Amino acid sequence: MRAGILSKSSLQRALRSTPHRSRSSGFQNTAIRFASSISQRPGASHVSFPGAVKSVFTSDLKFALPSDHPALPTYRVVDQDGNIVDSSFKPDLSNEEVVKLYKDMLTVSIMDPVMFDAQRQGRISFYMVSAGEEAISVGSASALNREDVVFCQYREQGIFAQRGFTLKDFTDQLFANKHDRGKGRNMPVHYGSKELNIHTISSPLATQIPHASGAAYALKMQRINDPSLPPRVVAVYFGEGAASEGDFHAALNIAATRSCPVIFICRNNGYSISTPTLEQYRGDGIASRGIGYGIDTVRVDGNDIWAVREVTKKAKEMALQDGGKPVLIEAMSYRVSHHSTSDDSFAYRARVEVEDWKRRDNPIARLRKYMEANGFWDESKEKDARESIRRAVLKAFSEAEREKKPPIRTMFEDVYEDLTPDLKAQMEQLRQHLEKYPDEYDVTEFEGGIDSLKAQKP
Amino acid sequence: MKHTVALLRLGRVSSPVNILNKCTRPVSYRLRRQNYSTHPTNAKLNLPTDYSTTPLLAHGAQQALSNPELPPEAKNGTAKRMNLFQAINDALSTALAEDENVLVFGEDVSFGGVFRCTMKLAENFGGARVFNTPLTEQGIMGFGIGLAAEGMRPVAEIQFADYVYPAFDQLVNEAAKYRYREGTTGRSVGGLTVRMPCGGVGHGALYHSQSPESLFTHIPGLRVIMPRSPLQAKGLLLAAIRSNDPCVFMEPKILYRAAVEQVPTNPYTLPLSKAEILKEGKDVTIISYGQPLYTCDAAIQRAEEDLGISIELIDLRTIYPWDKETIFKSVRKTGRCMVVHESMVNAGVGAEVAAAIQEDPDTFIRLEAPVSRIAGWSTFTPLLYERFNIPDVARIYDGVKKLLEY
């Protein structure tokens, strides 16, 4: 991208005036490596080039082949039938807590088809379901504290549900009514919450991944400045398709070099819209890349909520070690649903493949089997739970639909901290226009109608 | 004699590490470069800028301290001679000292930066707050956004404005829209400031000369700022860092060493989105920002002498959101207006300023000539031809004549 910048002599000159090591504690990676300290010793068996200091010399010309490396294993705790397969596993949640997580997953999976149909009827403009991936979001969220900061892609409704986003919160956003935190500016499913420490979702893929690295560095610095703060991590979610973006590369590399306490959680569900993983990458999934960045990595069965929870718990612990470091989790699953309401996935994959996945393995059924095997769930509880959740979803739905939209003025606010003179003038222009052509616009659904555009007294 | 001194300054402008020369140029080139910016012997207009006498810089401490925009603490303090990179360094040092949430990072900032703007900052404030990042502009911007979204005040550096494009998605879709899309959660990345050296240096060619400011002016949510001098750089950079809106701060790198003036030593800010009238006049208004202001000033001196007119010179300072009222007021008075900038004329800042002037009913009726734009041609900044591309004294002088002859 650019020419080399510094000559060796100027670099040495510069290094002479730079401190060897950062004064702040908790920064293992800030030491500056001097060219002189790593020069080649005579007869050394290791290469001492600055770029790879522990590489052994070899006289055997051999390329490293991806095929020489077996695929990283996928960790699971509970098999498809709900039986525990990790003998060292000890459930750390009460039955009530497990039921709560189960209901969080159910809530998402019941809300999804209702909203999908609402979009089909034209009552909301867009929707994305997360069928088949409920355990990844709910399971990982259950291993974090609410103070831990989360960045989402868009298929992580389960995190919101687990953290306490209510059905009203969901439906207010979907209908973009006046209670929507995003003030009716974002497409449906672009949720966000300050209280729950989840940043608002944006559509561009992977942009949130380096945000998470930066936010993690912020948390680390804030704790250095004020040690009374609790140790916190950042979790960031993205699909395997988003991992092809440059931002993924930038984020992992910068998190590793700056030792940021961030957990990267990739939902590898086999497809990005119509593109199967064979056209997305040729390596061993996303997990194999973590090692290349010097990041501790694990692959987990995303249909096993216990396994997701266990790896996230462990990842959080690791992320806070040694002053902070990044961890990568690749959670394997299958996108049972269409990509979104704008997609018919049977245009690019067989219906039978989807049906197979639904029947053979599904995170909700797997946890249900576990709960039933352990004697704290049964058919009648299942029926009651499903019915009460469905009633609550429909109630929130009809209430949110009836609410007014935010004031039209909202469209001009929050571009800057304060309205600029230009924006004030444009707001006035719009007001005059709406008054001049009252029959051309329906403003009645917006709180305050045209009046919200009037200049407000300071 | 004076001109020779100025020439040497121009030649050394990049940095002591002299980054551009280190890049690719063979020694023979550097020897030949002695003749590089020599002006034609008979030239009367296109003489090199003499920064040691220009009225646009405060050569005396009293002049600097009497700046009416300064707060009393700065006015009653002392002043010190600084060039532009030292003033930037002073502002960064002040920001780091006064707020523990301020962080400074980018490519090669740790040892002092390829233009020396971050000298001693890592030593004084620690490697945790002033640090190198991997070589990734999209990563630097995304990382800065994440920091700001969690309440920090990151000051990110893009090594050359020419290399900001990999970070464009992060700037346009993320930094600018963050507050807007968060709505009532109240989160924003207002703490973010992005610094980048910009503009021609005589030999920067395609990728060390660009001024992409007009690309940023099309992005609501960002403030785009370009200082013309050390005093301004300190005040505007501190204002940008303290601003609760994300700011793009563009530093004309040709001025890093060339522009030297007295700068108040106490902290102070200068107002954002406020233009500055550098010189009053009644016949023509010239609007510019950054380095071309010096060229404009030289052209104005010759034009006033030769044509017996008076010209008003205005520094936009903040390019977006810009100070329309000051410009309209001036043009209503003079009736003739020219916008000057280095970057390409097509859809440049001049287009926006000219359109706004003709669109304002009270200003439009006072126009006695079409608004003119003296700017870079609609090509790139080719190595050998920079002197024909960047607006110079002769083109501005001729532009003034044409405005009067219309």
Side-chain angles (χ1 to χ4, degrees):
Chain A
M1 179 168 155
R2 78 196 62 181
I5 279 166
L6 298 169
S7 71
K8 199 178 161 195
S9 62
S10 65
L11 185 64
Q12 282 169 346
R13 195 166 60 236
L15 289 176
R16 250 178 263 130
S17 65
T18 316
H20 289 229
R21 198 174 288 273
S22 155
R23 290 173 201 178
S24 302
S25 56
F27 285 84
Q28 267 64 41
N29 296 346
T30 46
I32 287 172
R33 227 154 45 182
F34 281 76
S36 59
S37 68
I38 48 167
S39 60
Q40 193 66 58
R41 300 286 188 279
S45 62
H46 286 70
V47 173
S48 289
F49 295 117
V53 288
K54 285 181 188 163
S55 172
V56 181
F57 280 125
T58 178
S59 49
D60 189 13
L61 195 163
K62 192 167 177 290
F63 282 78
L65 304 181
S67 54
D68 290 344
H69 300 269
L72 287 168
T74 301
Y75 175 69
R76 62 162 49 177
V77 168
V78 173
D79 69 13
Q80 274 111 315
D81 303 318
N83 305 313
I84 294 173
V85 288
D86 174 4
S87 55
S88 71
F89 168 73
K90 292 207 174 36
D92 59 344
L93 295 176
S94 67
N95 292 349
E96 292 72 35
E97 287 169 319
V98 177
V99 168
K100 159 80 172 60
L101 295 185
Y102 182 70
K103 284 185 176 171
D104 290 337
M105 292 205 287
L106 268 190
T107 300
V108 172
S109 79
I110 289 170
M111 184 174 64
D112 274 355
V114 171
M115 297 306 165
F116 196 89
D117 291 346
Q119 191 280 338
R120 286 287 183 259
Q121 295 165 17
R123 295 163 82 174
I124 58 175
S125 57
F126 178 78
Y127 195 73
M128 304 183 96
V129 310
S130 62
E133 297 175 57
E134 298 92 339
I136 299 176
S137 51
V138 173
S140 59
S142 76
L144 302 170
N145 294 330
R146 194 184 276 193
E147 290 71 36
D148 293 323
V149 175
V150 172
F151 289 84
C152 294
Q153 179 167 303
Y154 49 58
R155 213 182 292 286
E156 295 91 1
Q157 291 92 314
I159 299 167
F160 286 87
Q162 194 279 335
R163 288 203 165 193
F165 210 63
T166 64
L167 286 169
K168 177 175 169 12
D169 295 331
F170 280 115
T171 50
D172 285 345
Q173 200 283 331
L174 294 170
F175 283 100
N177 67 30
K178 66 179 187 181
H179 302 299
D180 169 21
R181 288 173 173 77
K183 297 191 180 179
R185 292 164 181 159
N186 306 314
M187 281 176 82
V189 191
H190 291 50
Y191 309 113
S193 169
K194 176 89 175 196
E195 314 86 85
L196 305 180
N197 269 309
I198 311 175
H199 286 259
T200 297
I201 291 164
S202 74
S203 306
L205 285 180
T207 48
Q208 79 279 15
I209 314 178
H211 297 178
S213 302
Y217 196 72
L219 302 188
K220 171 173 164 162
M221 290 302 295
Q222 285 160 6
R223 189 144 187 273
I224 288 172
N225 293 338
D226 178 2
S228 73
L229 291 173
R232 297 192 290 159
V233 298
V234 174
V236 56
Y237 296 78
F238 50 92
E240 89 286 349
S244 295
E245 293 280 3
D247 277 325
F248 166 85
H249 158 70
L252 268 71
N253 201 28
I254 208 162
T257 58
R258 292 312 302 168
S259 308
C260 302
V262 52
I263 307 172
F264 298 104
I265 303 177
C266 177
R267 296 176 291 95
N268 190 336
N269 63 17
Y271 288 93
S272 33
I273 307 188
S274 73
T275 307
T277 51
L278 264 182
E279 292 166 20
Q280 198 64 247
Y281 53 73
R282 282 299 164 100
D284 177 23
I286 308 305
S288 65
R289 301 180 196 168
I291 300 152
Y293 292 106
I295 292 178
D296 299 341
T297 301
V298 70
R299 176 175 283 157
V300 64
D301 181 345
N303 286 348
D304 178 357
I305 189 169
W306 283 114
V308 173
R309 184 177 151 79
E310 286 301 297
V311 299
T312 313
K313 261 168 56 188
K314 181 77 181 157
K316 178 171 175 177
E317 199 183 301
M318 292 161 71
L320 291 168
Q321 278 168 10
D322 308 328
K325 62 178 173 181
V327 182
L328 172 63
I329 297 172
E330 183 183 26
M332 311 308 289
S333 73
Y334 184 84
R335 197 193 78 212
V336 178
S337 61
H338 298 305
H339 164 70
S340 73
T341 47
S342 312
D343 171 51
D344 172 13
S345 68
F346 300 129
Y348 50 81
R349 62 181 182 180
R351 200 177 281 266
V352 61
E353 175 186 322
V354 179
E355 290 308 319
D356 261 8
W357 271 99
K358 275 189 186 164
R359 197 180 57 248
R360 197 171 59 210
D361 194 15
N362 150 347
I364 294 179
R366 221 199 276 193
L367 181 58
R368 181 180 167 186
K369 283 174 189 164
Y370 169 92
M371 288 158 60
E372 286 176 352
N374 286 277
F376 61 96
W377 198 252
D378 56 34
E379 183 61 39
S380 81
K381 284 179 178 163
E382 175 79 11
K383 196 161 163 279
D384 288 351
R386 284 184 178 273
E387 270 176 18
S388 69
I389 292 170
R390 191 175 161 77
R391 272 199 306 274
V393 167
L394 292 174
K395 182 166 172 280
F397 180 99
S398 65
E399 284 173 2
E401 193 176 28
R402 282 201 301 269
E403 288 284 0
K404 283 220 165 196
K405 303 301 180 197
I408 304 172
R409 179 188 182 84
T410 304
M411 121 184 216
F412 294 98
E413 291 172 326
D414 302 328
V415 176
Y416 293 92
E417 186 180 28
D418 301 310
L419 278 173
T420 60
D422 262 7
L423 286 167
K424 280 182 193 159
Q426 290 173 8
M427 204 160 76
E428 175 58 18
Q429 283 174 35
L430 177 61
R431 188 187 66 78
Q432 289 175 7
H433 179 74
L434 295 179
E435 277 181 352
K436 194 170 170 187
Y437 296 96
D439 298 337
E440 305 299 321
Y441 304 90
D442 181 7
V443 298
T444 54
E445 63 175 332
F446 296 92
E447 184 92 339
I450 293 175
D451 288 349
S452 79
L453 293 169
K454 284 184 182 150
Q456 288 179 348
K457 284 178 190 142
Chain B
M1 192 60 209
K2 203 180 277 169
H3 289 146
T4 319
V5 173
L7 259 180
L8 283 174
R9 281 220 186 92
L10 264 176
R12 283 169 35 219
V13 74
S14 32
S15 82
V17 177
N18 213 337
I19 179 160
L20 297 185
N21 290 319
K22 292 287 190 258
C23 289
T24 47
R25 302 200 200 314
V27 175
S28 59
Y29 174 84
R30 293 167 72 189
L31 293 175
R32 271 194 285 117
R33 199 162 56 83
Q34 305 226 333
N35 302 326
Y36 184 70
S37 32
T38 306
H39 59 279
T41 31
N42 296 327
K44 293 183 184 62
L45 297 165
N46 281 342
L47 306 173
T49 305
D50 183 359
Y51 292 98
S52 64
T53 57
T54 171
L56 302 192
L57 294 168
H59 300 290
Q62 210 39 54
Q63 193 189 345
L65 296 171
S66 62
N67 185 318
E69 285 181 331
L70 291 180
E73 315 85 83
K75 269 188 183 154
N76 299 331
T78 53
K80 195 179 151 192
R81 256 173 82 79
M82 294 184 202
N83 62 25
L84 189 80
F85 84 64
Q86 289 162 334
I88 302 270
N89 184 273
D90 189 43
L92 292 173
S93 195
T94 302
L96 283 159
E98 73 187 4
D99 185 350
E100 65 185 8
N101 292 319
V102 172
L103 304 170
V104 174
F105 54 89
E107 294 155 15
D108 306 297
V109 303
S110 187
F111 84 102
V114 297
F115 289 113
R116 290 298 184 252
C117 292
T118 51
M119 284 292 283
K120 303 279 180 200
L121 297 181
E123 262 174 80
N124 294 338
F125 298 98
R129 295 184 62 199
V130 181
F131 53 86
N132 290 340
T133 63
L135 207 163
T136 165
E137 284 76 15
Q138 66 190 105
I140 291 169
M141 204 63 65
F143 191 77
I145 290 168
L147 281 163
E150 280 299 316
M152 305 299 277
R153 291 209 171 267
V155 185
E157 177 180 305
I158 299 293
Q159 202 161 71
F160 287 84
D162 311 62
Y163 302 129
V164 72
Y165 308 114
F168 231 65
D169 183 33
Q170 287 286 354
L171 272 168
V172 178
N173 279 326
E174 299 294 325
K177 296 178 176 68
Y178 219 99
R179 182 195 302 280
Y180 194 74
R181 70 170 186 245
E182 284 278 351
T184 60
T185 78
R187 272 186 296 233
S188 78
V189 295
L192 178 71
T193 302
V194 187
R195 294 177 42 240
M196 60 189 83
C198 68
V201 283
H203 53 282
L206 304 184
Y207 307 108
H208 297 86
S209 307
Q210 297 178 39
S211 282
E213 64 273 8
S214 69
L215 299 177
F216 302 125
T217 65
H218 199 59
I219 310 171
L222 300 183
R223 289 192 189 273
V224 188
I225 303 147
M226 195 189 291
R228 72 158 192 283
S229 74
L231 188 151
Q232 233 189 32
K234 178 175 171 178
L236 290 174
L237 181 53
L238 271 177
I241 294 171
R242 291 179 189 173
S243 159
N244 288 327
D245 293 315
C247 294
V248 174
F249 193 81
M250 306 181 67
E251 300 164 7
K253 57 184 169 292
I254 195 165
L255 301 178
Y256 274 140
R257 297 184 148 262
V260 183
E261 70 179 329
Q262 293 286 339
V263 177
T265 46
N266 283 342
Y268 62 94
T269 59
L270 293 173
L272 300 181
S273 292
K274 184 97 186 64
E276 183 185 0
I277 299 171
L278 296 180
K279 178 186 166 310
E280 304 228 359
K282 57 181 178 43
D283 300 306
V284 176
T285 300
I286 298 184
I287 300 149
S288 189
Y289 50 89
Q291 199 279 337
L293 286 162
Y294 297 93
T295 321
C296 292
D297 181 68
I300 287 170
Q301 284 184 31
R302 296 308 306 263
E304 289 187 339
E305 228 170 82
D306 294 358
L307 309 170
I309 53 165
S310 83
I311 300 175
E312 185 144 308
L313 180 61
I314 302 181
D315 180 357
L316 270 185
R317 298 198 286 194
T318 297
I319 305 162
Y320 191 79
W322 58 288
D323 181 1
K324 287 185 177 172
E325 272 319 304
T326 299
I327 276 68
F328 290 170
K329 210 173 144 210
S330 172
V331 178
R332 284 175 207 153
K333 178 176 71 177
T334 61
R336 292 182 177 85
C337 174
M338 176 196 289
V339 191
V340 181
H341 54 75
E342 265 188 40
S343 57
M344 298 76 86
V345 66
N346 50 298
V349 171
E352 172 67 15
V353 172
I357 286 171
Q358 73 81 25
E359 204 174 41
D360 183 67
D362 297 336
T363 315
F364 173 70
I365 54 161
R366 300 303 309 276
L367 283 178
E368 289 171 39
V371 178
S372 80
R373 294 179 286 167
I374 305 290
W377 308 118
S378 300
T379 174
F380 315 104
T381 309
L383 181 72
L384 290 182
Y385 316 106
E386 185 176 313
R387 76 189 80 162
F388 304 115
N389 191 21
I390 288 180
D392 57 16
V393 180
R395 281 179 63 201
I396 298 167
Y397 177 89
D398 186 59
V400 170
K401 282 178 92 168
K402 283 177 177 158
L403 271 177
L404 292 166
E405 286 160 5
Y406 178 79

